[in-house]
Amino acid sequence: MRAFWYLIIGVFFGIVLFKSEAASWFRIYEMFNFASFHMYGIIGAAVVLGVIVTQSIKRFGLKSFYGAEIKIDTKEKSISRYLIGGIFFGLGWGLAGACPGPLFVLMGAGYFPIIIVFVSAIAGTFLYGKLKDHLPH
Amino acid sequence: MDIYGTWPWYVSGPLIALIMFLLLMMGKRFGMSSNLRTLCTICGAGKKHSFFDIDWKDYRWNLVVALGVLIGGFVASNYLTKENTVVLEENVSEKLQGLGFESVNQNYLPEELFGAEAMSDPFVIVILIIAGLLIGFGSRYAGGCTSGHAISGLSALQLPSLIAVIGFFIGGLVMVHLIFPLIF
């Protein structure tokens, strides 16, 4: 039953990504040209509401649907891994015009050349796992 | 709002926050790129590198979300859209035409990179492969992508996520402003 809800949440997310055009290469290009408020509005509105949601969960000790405590993880402190890793990711995001969520959206929408990007992204992840111990973190 | 048109930011943004909230209420956290790691594990990468030596069944829920996202893309493009075109402001359109992207304002993705004809161009294939490698390598190196850092991490007021998002923008700006003029 839980799997059903995960699927529904995913479908909902996929529809929002496609319809907001956050999955469009053109919108990502536009964003990196600061040419429209659209993408900043999407991320900004999601973050502002997300902060309210997350802080409320913390403050009121909200329990999950299944009665468990909701843990908001704190991320490991570092600068280099987030900055360097982030720059690599940003280069790919700008070039492919898609981040991992939209890769799934676009495959579903029938843009099959995206499969090349998707398979390479899995290979890139593998490459990271292979080189992890030799990289600054 | 026309449901068949572009969903405005003030609708889409709050809906993304709602999706993050629903996943938190399911006892999980929002993050798409970790699925790429799980897929490596399923392909047997755990035998070679400890980074992939995880029990993929612990992450099955997220693969189900990703499958949903894929179905969502199918539903949205086939049943919730009349014309799959993205219309940009005139100055950006002209800039893209200047780079050789003639398909601007006619499609959801540029024909020059994702069209049937482009698939016979080895240069385009190499571009797509490099883009994918950067996305996969970078997101795992940074420990997350747009959903994990920009949405989920910033919402939890995590400084590491802010650093990652700054990195995303440095990379994106370098690509679009410095590298695009060289390769397109």
Side-chain angles (χ1 to χ4, degrees):
Chain A
M1 196 55 204
R2 284 195 195 189
F4 172 76
W5 292 115
Y6 289 128
L7 192 72
I8 294 297
I9 292 171
V11 171
F12 182 34
F13 184 40
I15 291 174
V16 174
L17 281 177
F18 189 88
K19 290 309 301 174
S20 66
E21 296 172 356
S24 166
W25 186 97
F26 291 116
R27 285 288 182 194
I28 305 304
Y29 181 81
E30 177 191 67
M31 174 180 79
F32 286 128
N33 273 281
F34 303 102
S36 161
F37 181 69
H38 187 71
M39 288 300 302
Y40 296 97
I42 294 174
I43 299 174
V47 171
V48 169
L49 284 169
V51 170
I52 296 170
V53 162
T54 311
Q55 294 307 310
S56 307
I57 288 175
K58 271 189 180 167
R59 175 143 325 164
F60 304 114
L62 205 63
K63 296 272 189 288
S64 80
F65 290 136
Y66 304 103
E69 195 189 332
I70 297 178
K71 280 190 277 250
I72 312 282
D73 317 333
T74 44
K75 297 193 193 288
E76 231 175 282
K77 292 255 179 308
S78 159
I79 293 180
S80 49
R81 91 167 277 196
Y82 298 111
L83 195 61
I84 303 170
I87 291 172
F88 273 109
F89 176 78
L91 288 166
W93 191 15
L95 187 55
C99 45
L103 290 182
F104 293 104
V105 173
L106 294 169
M107 285 191 289
Y111 296 98
F112 298 120
I114 274 294
I115 294 171
I116 300 173
V117 183
F118 179 68
V119 173
S120 312
I122 296 174
T125 304
F126 180 76
L127 198 65
Y128 169 74
K130 194 178 161 75
L131 302 176
K132 185 176 178 288
D133 298 334
H134 308 288
L135 298 168
H137 276 81
Chain B
M1 183 186 107
D2 173 17
I3 198 164
Y4 296 101
T6 308
W7 291 9
W9 63 267
Y10 50 82
V11 172
S12 314
L15 288 177
I16 291 174
L18 173 63
I19 288 154
M20 187 193 76
F21 172 69
L22 289 174
L23 281 174
L24 283 171
M25 290 301 286
M26 294 292 289
K28 304 294 181 194
R29 60 197 178 118
F30 190 33
M32 279 291 121
S33 62
S34 52
N35 285 310
L36 300 171
R37 181 194 190 182
T38 313
L39 289 169
C40 283
T41 301
I42 292 174
C43 294
K47 290 187 203 90
K48 281 190 169 165
H49 302 289
S50 60
F51 181 68
F52 302 107
D53 192 11
I54 50 174
D55 187 359
W56 70 272
K57 291 193 184 73
D58 295 343
Y59 301 91
R60 191 164 45 188
W61 68 272
N62 209 356
L63 290 176
V64 176
V65 175
L67 176 67
V69 173
L70 194 140
I71 297 170
F74 176 82
V75 171
S77 73
N78 287 287
Y79 304 108
L80 294 173
T81 307
K82 284 181 191 136
E83 276 179 280
N84 276 337
T85 53
V86 172
V87 180
L88 302 181
E89 301 278 345
E90 210 178 298
N91 53 350
V92 203
S93 309
E94 282 171 7
K95 215 171 160 182
L96 275 171
Q97 278 165 346
L99 285 172
F101 288 94
E102 294 294 334
S103 63
V104 63
N105 298 332
Q106 294 166 19
N107 249 310
Y108 196 87
L109 298 181
E111 282 289 317
E112 291 80 1
L113 285 176
F114 301 99
E117 218 173 289
M119 288 306 99
S120 57
D121 184 349
F123 173 74
V124 171
I125 306 283
V126 170
I127 292 273
L128 297 184
I129 291 174
I130 292 173
L133 288 173
L134 287 166
I135 291 170
F137 181 82
S139 61
R140 212 64 276 122
Y141 195 168
C145 60
T146 326
S147 50
H149 277 311
I151 308 288
S152 199
L154 289 185
S155 291
L157 305 174
Q158 294 291 304
L159 184 62
S161 293
L162 183 62
I163 300 170
V165 173
I166 292 170
F168 296 171
F169 269 82
I170 294 174
L173 291 172
V174 166
M175 177 53 70
V176 163
H177 294 281
L178 303 179
I179 305 180
F180 270 21
L182 299 176
I183 57 176
F184 294 126

